[in-house]
Amino acid sequence: MNIIKVEDELTALKKQLVSHKVYEKINNVDSLKIFMENHVYAVWDFMSLLKSLQLHLTTVKIPWTPTKDSNAARFINEIVLEEETDIGNSNIPSSHYEMYIDAMKEIKANTNKIELLLEKIKEKKSITQSLDEIDAKLPVKNFMQFTFDTIATNEPHKIASVFTFGREDLIPNMFIQIVKNINNEKNVSAKKLIYYLERHIELDGDDHGPIALKMISNLCGDNKKKWDDVIIYSKKALKERIKLWDHILYCIEKN
């Protein structure tokens, strides 16, 4: 089995995600706010997937010892550099999560819940308890619980599969024209979100995408069971994303 086989297996779910009705409903600043207020959780927990891979594939213990796979370590460190400390549109280092929060604030989207969630996490509360205490909606809870359940497997190929095939790679290209249209509305500025999306397109297409695919191949090698796991976990990740999109669509239509 190889990457091509995995991508073939995921084609139907990716098409379902790309053609989701939520995109046509994001047609003004109010619907954009609703989208971002729900999507921000996926932007945040993506970093936990990434840092989990860094823990598994690099050495972060003292005293330091060499890693088993220096290629994988380099792959993940390159991605961490740009996801955790990229150069924002103000020309200062910033994580992509922080860039997204800034973009939300620019259009006056509500960041209170996600910021409260991080406060709960800093208080050493579990992700489940923290989500309960901020009264997160069930699709958001389920999406994030799957993320942290995957991390808890402590199996790098499973974590990498969700990171690579189940996350942000599809979104920027689908979303950027919508945001540009809204940005052209009178009295609306979404320049920070456009910068964020364009940065994602640049990194995912030129750097992160190819790096992540090679990482998957290195982690799975000739192990059929691992390749099967990649398909199972990637499909589950895409299904959870679709359910989150269904929830956002419901919220927009209800509003």
Side-chain angles (χ1 to χ4, degrees), residues 106-164:
E106 184 180 44
I107 65 165
K108 296 180 170 59
N110 191 329
T111 61
N112 291 343
K113 271 198 170 185
I114 183 64
E115 290 175 333
L116 180 58
L117 176 68
L118 267 64
E119 289 302 315
K120 303 288 184 184
I121 298 296
K122 289 175 184 176
E123 293 169 6
K124 308 298 184 184
K125 294 181 179 179
S126 70
I127 186 66
T128 303
Q129 183 182 356
S130 299
L131 288 168
D132 285 341
E133 290 188 6
I134 68 165
D135 195 28
K137 299 300 182 184
L138 186 60
V140 171
K141 285 183 183 179
N142 289 343
F143 183 92
M144 297 181 73
Q145 194 63 60
F146 171 70
T147 296
F148 286 94
D149 286 347
T150 301
I151 291 169
T153 67
N154 284 317
E155 296 187 69
H157 69 286
K158 292 179 180 179
I159 301 166
S161 67
V162 174
F163 175 89
T164 302

Side-chain angles (χ1 to χ4, degrees), residues 58-92:
T58 72
T59 301
V60 293
K61 295 179 181 179
I62 306 297
W64 176 89
T65 56
T67 62
K68 293 181 181 178
D69 187 343
S70 58
N71 284 324
R74 182 175 177 84
F75 295 160
I76 211 65
N77 281 335
E78 285 181 5
I79 296 175
V80 167
L81 173 65
E82 289 164 336
E83 290 286 347
E84 191 172 32
T85 54
D86 201 5
I87 301 301
N89 66 338
S90 299
N91 207 33
I92 58 174

Side-chain angles (χ1 to χ4, degrees), residues 39-57:
H39 175 237
V40 67
Y41 297 97
V43 176
W44 174 72
D45 77 350
F46 173 83
M47 286 302 302
S48 291
L49 283 169
L50 176 58
K51 299 302 282 186
S52 174
L53 286 172
Q54 190 177 34
L55 287 171
H56 284 288
L57 301 179

